[in-house]
Amino acid sequence: MAASARKKAARLRVHVENNPKAAAINHVTEAGFRAKTKHHPGLLKRIEITFGMDPKQLGQMVAEAEVLVASGGVDISSLATQAPKLKWIQSTSAGVEKLLQYVPAGVALTNASGLHGPKGGEYAMTALLMLNHDVPHFVTSQRAGKWDQSHATPIAGKTLVIVGVGALGSAAARLAKGFGMRILGVSRSGKPNRLVERMYRSSELRKVLPKADFLLVTTPLTAETKGMIGRKELDLLPHHAGLVNLGRGSVIDNDALVEKLSRGELAGAVLDVFPLEPLPSSSALWTAPNLIMSPHCAVDDAESYAARALDIFLDNLERYLAGRKLINVVDSKLGY
Amino acid sequence: MAASARKKAARLRVHVENNPKAAAINHVTEAGFRAKTKHHPGLLKRIEITFGMDPKQLGQMVAEAEVLVASGGVDISSLATQAPKLKWIQSTSAGVEKLLQYVPAGVALTNASGLHGPKGGEYAMTALLMLNHDVPHFVTSQRAGKWDQSHATPIAGKTLVIVGVGALGSAAARLAKGFGMRILGVSRSGKPNRLVERMYRSSELRKVLPKADFLLVTTPLTAETKGMIGRKELDLLPHHAGLVNLGRGSVIDNDALVEKLSRGELAGAVLDVFPLEPLPSSSALWTAPNLIMSPHCAVDDAESYAARALDIFLDNLERYLAGRKLINVVDSKLGY
């Protein structure tokens, strides 16, 4: 008994906490975890893992944990006192803006950036094609019972500006290149990207916006990106331009966006993310013209979301146990 | 004067009639015609051409015409008596179901098949991606003010059945292959097509429908295709399937389609064509769930529609003057 207890105590204590408000496809389940560990021989013997999905129980579940796996929507605001042994939090979401402020000092945070690749890129291309072919206009006319033709041209040769050229932005760029689009990118550093004709630094954003036939926003929410696409930036877009936001709602001034759409100063918009989610029923976005919305789900792959999150976590877990450098480490100053 | 009149009389008399109810982008104008003839040296000297857009004047305009250029919506029901010298009608539309019955005996009819290629193929792909990513569901939820998530998977590996693999169907197949889709085709003859994994004859339609994740209809309206996708055929589609109609409205039983959509027995539909156009305000299609409609314009290229129609006509006109075989000749029995 004593030997067994000692052996058990030596195992790495890991807790996985799911958000009960998130869709089932986003949950990292024990069954899913066990299935994945078949590809990581010996791993299960080195850890002791628990699973939870009850915010009230979280404190108790993490009391002994050294590692916490949690989605971006889990409330970890009391972790500093609840989890004295915690050393590492693996987020199963790409965006960590809600977690970040509560990560206790000295605890590493890694995210699941890369998760949205194939499905997210495909949805971004879908949104660009919808905008190019006036689908938001058709949908608005249909809602009003109006037969109102609109004629477009193919998307080839048109210019796409991508703000945030990470995994999702790159997947979108790859498809857009296949459709013959010209691609410009904006990132904090402006570092060159082989999929992008020219990269601009965030500080040059206003220079590139007038060139956009389409603007695709995929940035995480950070101190720097909050409100990045404000009224002035929207005013710099050509009136025929379309906007897609698959990043975070608060990156864009949505009130200004509604005004621009209502005045016909933008051709259309496709939004998957909102400052408050679920979107309040009082929001003017619900009925804004030439706007198509999805409820923060369009970039998540129904079949592989949790599996991909687990792949990232298990890769990192092997690294952690071996004392190697973790991947996807979030820079707490930059926020991603 | 006499010599000049004789010379004039020797010229081929051509009349171009546009449909005033059609969008301006569909019109073959005199300016557009003159611009194009720069690439056909000497042609203008061999013809005498008039342009019209008034149904009341048509009879007078065609009294001496040997060639008529007209869109599919022009009323030619009195042509047999009005145009005794007529030998050839060039349609500037791909679909000629309205013209066909009024083509006088002995008069050749050619259509503008091939016109919709790039823009039409791109819109077909847009529609397939919208269906794959649950956009019709998002739009229906948005209309109802409901935050209702839905999670899809990438389109790669899914099966597209194309009914009517002509210029538009082939353009769609090319793009769908690029997205990793599996493509099956249905045509009258079932003749192999290099873009399609397997072609089926129309008589085998019911065999292929259960295999479809997506059904794309691009057929012209003929005696054979009218009602081709009826209630029984719709019932053979899997419940998760999506339907796109870019051909002609009456190819599908739209009442049955509304019922299937309302009962959730089809995931969604994207329609650009309707049995009656403009779609009457009494139609149940306007408010059917998971349905996105465009008013018969989504496959027309705003910049090149008329130019492409003119290219086909001028190619044929050179052939006609040289006594060579015309292209795009409509088989009056088959109807396309």
Side-chain angles (χ1 to χ4, degrees), chain A residues 23 25-26 119 122-123 125-126 129-130 132-133 135 138-139 142-143 145-156 175 179 274 277-279 285-286 291-297 300-303, chain B residues 23 25-26 119 122-123 125-126 129-130 132-133 135 138-139 142-143 145-156 175 179 274 277-279 285-286 291-297 300-303:
Chain A
I25 69 137
N26 301 121
K119 160 76 166 142
E122 219 181 80
Y123 187 70
M125 193 67 233
T126 305
L129 286 166
M130 288 198 288
N132 185 65
H133 291 276
V135 176
F138 297 145
V139 163
Q142 184 178 345
R143 195 162 63 190
K146 264 173 36 190
W147 179 271
D148 189 10
Q149 289 190 324
S150 174
H151 296 87
T153 56
I155 205 167
L175 290 171
F179 275 87
F274 308 91
E277 296 177 357
L279 184 66
L285 288 168
W286 287 107
L291 171 64
I292 290 181
M293 301 195 289
S294 48
H296 200 152
C297 58
D300 296 349
D301 188 327
E303 271 169 16
Chain B
I25 68 136
N26 301 121
K119 159 76 167 142
E122 217 180 84
Y123 187 71
M125 194 67 233
T126 305
L129 286 167
M130 287 198 288
N132 184 65
H133 291 277
V135 175
F138 297 147
V139 163
Q142 184 178 345
R143 196 163 62 191
K146 264 171 38 189
W147 179 269
D148 188 11
Q149 290 189 324
S150 174
H151 296 87
T153 56
I155 205 166
L175 289 171
F179 275 88
F274 308 91
E277 296 176 355
L279 184 66
L285 288 168
W286 286 108
L291 172 64
I292 290 180
M293 301 195 289
S294 48
H296 200 150
C297 59
D300 297 348
D301 189 326
E303 271 169 15

Side-chain angles (χ1 to χ4, degrees), chain A residues 165-298:
Chain A
V165 195
L168 176 49
S170 296
R174 213 167 286 123
L175 290 171
K177 266 178 92 86
F179 275 87
M181 298 189 78
R182 174 188 178 222
I183 302 162
L184 306 175
V186 179
S187 70
R188 198 176 46 81
S189 67
K191 206 177 72 183
N193 179 310
R194 66 179 181 82
L195 294 162
V196 177
E197 181 180 308
R198 185 169 165 194
M199 287 293 303
Y200 294 78
R201 285 191 304 277
S202 309
S203 57
E204 299 170 299
L205 178 64
R206 293 189 184 180
K207 209 161 98 183
V208 70
L209 291 173
K211 302 183 200 287
D213 294 309
F214 305 96
L215 178 67
L216 169 62
V217 177
T218 76
T219 49
L221 182 60
T222 68
E224 203 177 326
T225 65
K226 191 170 182 177
M228 185 185 191
I229 310 293
R231 190 174 295 267
K232 273 186 188 154
E233 286 75 19
L234 291 173
D235 280 342
L236 287 170
L237 289 168
H239 285 191
H240 71 265
L243 179 147
V244 183
N245 189 7
L246 305 179
R248 282 293 184 261
S250 302
V251 174
I252 292 179
D253 180 338
N254 289 282
D255 293 336
L257 175 62
V258 169
E259 285 176 33
K260 299 282 291 179
L261 288 169
S262 302
R263 288 198 298 257
E265 290 175 10
L266 267 184
V270 176
L271 305 179
D272 185 55
V273 286
F274 308 91
L276 264 177
E277 296 177 357
L279 184 66
S281 58
S282 61
S283 170
L285 288 168
W286 287 107
T287 54
N290 302 330
L291 171 64
I292 290 181
M293 301 195 289
S294 48
H296 200 152
C297 58

Side-chain angles (χ1 to χ4, degrees), chain B:
Chain B
M1 277 296 279
S4 150
R6 202 163 46 242
K7 199 174 165 195
K8 214 171 173 182
R11 291 180 176 194
L12 179 69
R13 296 284 289 259
V14 178
H15 179 66
V16 177
E17 183 73 10
N18 287 302
N19 176 7
K21 288 182 184 164
I25 68 136
N26 301 121
H27 292 160
V28 169
T29 62
E30 182 159 4
F33 178 78
R34 296 212 175 269
K36 279 284 181 194
T37 53
K38 283 177 191 155
H39 306 291
H40 296 260
L43 187 70
L44 276 180
K45 289 185 190 139
R46 303 180 64 192
I47 65 171
E48 191 179 332
I49 190 163
T50 51
F51 293 82
M53 199 165 58
D54 182 348
K56 286 186 218 125
Q57 303 285 322
L58 179 61
Q60 193 183 319
M61 300 300 277
V62 294
E64 299 294 323
E66 186 172 328
V67 180
L68 173 65
V69 179
S71 74
V74 168
D75 177 3
I76 62 162
S77 56
S78 305
L79 223 52
T81 53
Q82 289 170 338
K85 298 178 180 170
L86 198 67
K87 290 197 181 144
W88 167 36
I89 301 172
Q90 169 71 56
S91 163
T92 56
S93 308
V96 294
E97 74 280 1
K98 286 181 192 157
L99 300 178
L100 200 58
Q101 58 182 315
Y102 300 116
V103 175
V107 171
L109 174 65
T110 54
N111 69 13
S113 174
L115 191 71
H116 298 302
K119 159 76 167 142
E122 217 180 84
Y123 187 71
M125 194 67 233
T126 305
L128 295 172
L129 286 167
M130 287 198 288
L131 288 166
N132 184 65
H133 291 277
D134 296 336
V135 175
H137 166 78
F138 297 147
V139 163
T140 302
S141 300
Q142 184 178 345
R143 196 163 62 191
K146 264 171 38 189
W147 179 269
D148 188 11
Q149 290 189 324
S150 174
H151 296 87
T153 56
I155 205 166
K158 295 181 184 171
T159 298
L160 167 62
V161 173
I162 304 181
V163 177
V165 195
L168 177 49
S170 295
R174 213 166 288 124
L175 289 171
K177 267 177 91 87
F179 275 88
M181 298 189 80
R182 174 188 178 221
I183 301 162
L184 305 176
V186 179
S187 70
R188 200 176 45 82
S189 65
K191 205 178 72 183
N193 179 310
R194 65 178 182 81
L195 293 163
V196 177
E197 182 181 306
R198 185 171 164 192
M199 286 292 302
Y200 294 80
R201 286 192 303 277
S202 308
S203 56
E204 299 171 298
L205 178 64
R206 293 189 183 181
K207 210 161 97 184
V208 68
L209 291 173
K211 302 183 201 287
D213 295 310
F214 305 95
L215 178 66
L216 169 62
V217 177
T218 75
T219 49
L221 183 60
T222 68
E224 203 177 326
T225 64
K226 192 171 181 177
M228 184 185 193
I229 310 293
R231 191 175 295 268
K232 273 188 188 153
E233 286 74 20
L234 291 172
D235 280 342
L236 287 169
L237 290 168
H239 286 191
H240 71 266
L243 180 146
V244 184
N245 189 6
L246 306 180
R248 281 293 184 262
S250 302
V251 174
I252 291 178
D253 180 339
N254 289 283
D255 293 336
L257 175 62
V258 168
E259 285 175 34
K260 300 281 291 179
L261 288 169
S262 302
R263 289 199 298 259
E265 290 174 10
L266 267 183
V270 177
L271 305 179
D272 185 54
V273 286
F274 308 91
L276 267 178
E277 296 176 355
L279 184 66
S281 59
S282 60
S283 170
L285 288 168
W286 286 108
T287 54
N290 302 329
L291 172 64
I292 290 180
M293 301 195 289
S294 48
H296 200 150
C297 59
V299 302
D300 297 348
D301 189 326
E303 271 169 15
S304 68
Y305 184 99
R308 283 171 157 264
L310 267 170
D311 284 337
I312 293 169
F313 169 58
L314 287 171
D315 180 4
N316 258 342
L317 186 57
E318 296 271 20
R319 289 164 178 266
Y320 187 85
L321 287 165
R324 286 188 292 136
K325 225 177 138 183
L326 300 179
I327 58 160
N328 279 10
V329 175
V330 174
D331 180 318
S332 61
K333 277 206 205 85
L334 298 178
Y336 69 96

